[in-house]
Amino acid sequence: VFSTATQGVNDYGMQFKERCPLPFLEEVSNTVVALKHLGDFGEAIRKFKEGRFNQDHTPKPLGSREKDLLISGMVLNEWESYQVVAGFGLPLAKSTLVTCLQEVARTADDIGYPVAVKLVAPGMTHKTELGAVRVNLKSSKEANLAAKEMESLFRKASPCGAVEGFLVQEMVGGGVETIIGAVNDPQYGPAVMFGLGGEFVEVYQDVLFRIAPVSRKEALEMIQSIKGFPLLSGFRGRPPLDLETLAGAIVSVSELMVSGKEWIQSIDVNPFISLERGGKAVDAVIVTRQKKTEGSS
């Protein structure tokens, strides 16, 4: 409801506003913005319904391995999250979980330098802030020293905390960091999110949401609709990145969210590094809806 009349009309007017189940808008500019958002929402619903009627692809169901991981705890660690997203085709940086310090250097040698080493502990989601990530390590000595330092820092910060191991991962050079996520919204259900990742997501908040699952065409539209799209399409002579692989990654996360909506509250893949050819996820966290009891479906 928009009216040019003053907002403090009289007692009757105030009572009417309180009883009326509609929003009362102030100022013409706010009303125009509200109409624009209403129109955008209507168009999104129309496209969603058309897509559902025309869509002949049904997301695959969760496998037993994915279900076992999702019912194991409220927050999956990075390695556990990798196992779930990999099951839906998300390309990942080459990674190996080791459970003791002695295996870090050998595993880094096998993967090839440079590598990143990350400490893995239950419930840990912000590894960088906790000093639990070391990147661009160029030798077995550097990798081993980084793991020891991270464990020492963790023990001081969380004397009773448990270290599950160390994730040794290839460094993915070049490209642009993006974020792909999903959430189980209480009103709209599964939704997928895309935008610029890494530090960009906090600074610019350049992200979009769509009702999941999305088709490859819808994923490409999401990519092209963010403000930072020029960074992905070839900016100032830079080569364009592989948008088809990036769109496929968005589709994979959206389908996982739909298939796992009973168990998954949110998915956060940040960053997914988009490259000239291909792309790879280098971090992932899945938060489950609730802890299931043994034997639940």
Side-chain angles (χ1 to χ4, degrees):
V1 177
F2 172 71
S3 172
T4 56
T6 177
Q7 296 300 307
V9 187
N10 52 32
D11 289 343
Y12 172 78
M14 297 300 293
Q15 291 170 6
F16 175 78
K17 286 175 63 177
E18 291 175 359
R19 292 196 306 269
C20 182
L22 296 172
F24 282 77
L25 304 173
E26 298 181 14
E27 300 182 7
V28 174
S29 59
N30 288 337
T31 304
V32 172
V33 171
L35 288 171
K36 177 186 181 299
H37 288 320
L38 187 61
D40 290 345
F41 180 73
E43 180 66 9
I45 292 296
R46 183 187 67 79
K47 288 183 177 179
F48 175 75
K49 289 181 177 179
E50 285 182 357
R52 299 294 81 77
F53 285 125
N54 298 329
Q55 193 173 25
D56 57 3
H57 173 69
T58 302
K60 73 172 188 174
L62 286 173
S64 58
R65 171 61 176 163
E66 287 93 5
K67 285 185 180 180
D68 288 343
L69 288 168
L70 290 171
I71 66 176
S72 64
M74 290 301 294
V75 180
L76 272 61
N77 64 40
E78 186 174 347
W79 179 250
E80 293 168 335
S81 299
Y82 278 170
Q83 312 311 303
V84 177
V85 297
F88 276 72
L90 189 72
L92 307 173
K94 185 177 180 181
S95 308
T96 302
L97 179 70
V98 297
T99 56
C100 61
L101 277 169
Q102 291 73 19
E103 292 295 313
V104 171
R106 183 188 63 77
T107 304
D109 288 339
D110 292 341
I111 289 177
Y113 298 97
V115 298
V117 177
K118 308 175 185 180
L119 185 141
V120 178
M124 180 183 289
T125 57
H126 298 89
K127 295 182 289 294
T128 302
E129 290 85 342
L130 297 173
V133 178
R134 299 295 170 86
V135 300
N136 207 32
L137 305 171
K138 298 181 174 63
S139 68
S140 58
K141 182 178 180 180
E142 288 185 13
N144 192 53
L145 179 61
K148 288 181 178 179
E149 291 176 347
M150 286 189 292
E151 184 175 37
S152 177
L153 286 172
F154 180 79
R155 298 294 186 196
K156 290 179 181 178
S158 304
C160 299
V163 175
E164 296 182 344
F166 299 90
L167 191 65
V168 185
Q169 186 178 80
E170 68 168 317
M171 290 293 299
V172 181
V176 173
E177 293 187 356
T178 66
I179 181 172
I180 304 172
V183 64
N184 203 348
D185 187 87
Q187 280 188 299
Y188 301 107
V192 66
M193 179 265 286
F194 171 75
L196 291 181
E199 297 176 348
F200 290 119
V201 68
E202 297 179 5
V203 176
Y204 299 111
Q205 298 183 348
D206 186 15
V207 298
L208 294 173
F209 286 85
R210 293 291 184 270
I211 296 173
V214 295
S215 65
R216 186 172 290 268
K217 178 182 177 182
E218 290 170 320
L220 284 170
E221 289 176 352
M222 291 180 71
I223 295 169
Q224 294 164 0
S225 298
I226 65 170
K227 296 175 183 177
F229 176 63
L231 294 174
L232 305 171
S233 60
F235 181 67
R236 291 189 175 181
R238 298 174 185 173
L241 303 180
D242 188 342
L243 301 186
E244 286 293 332
T245 295
L246 184 55
I250 296 172
V251 171
S252 295
V253 173
S254 78
E255 293 187 345
L256 170 58
M257 186 73 253
V258 171
S259 296
K261 61 184 178 182
E262 286 186 55
W263 297 274
I264 301 174
Q265 178 57 43
S266 66
I267 305 168
D268 186 4
V269 180
N270 183 25
F272 181 90
I273 301 180
S274 183
L275 304 167
E276 290 181 46
R277 292 186 179 181
K280 295 181 179 181
V282 297
D283 198 353
V285 174
I286 294 178
V287 178
T288 63
R289 295 186 66 183
Q290 59 183 5
K291 193 165 185 176
K292 302 284 184 178
T293 58
E294 189 175 0
S296 34
S297 59

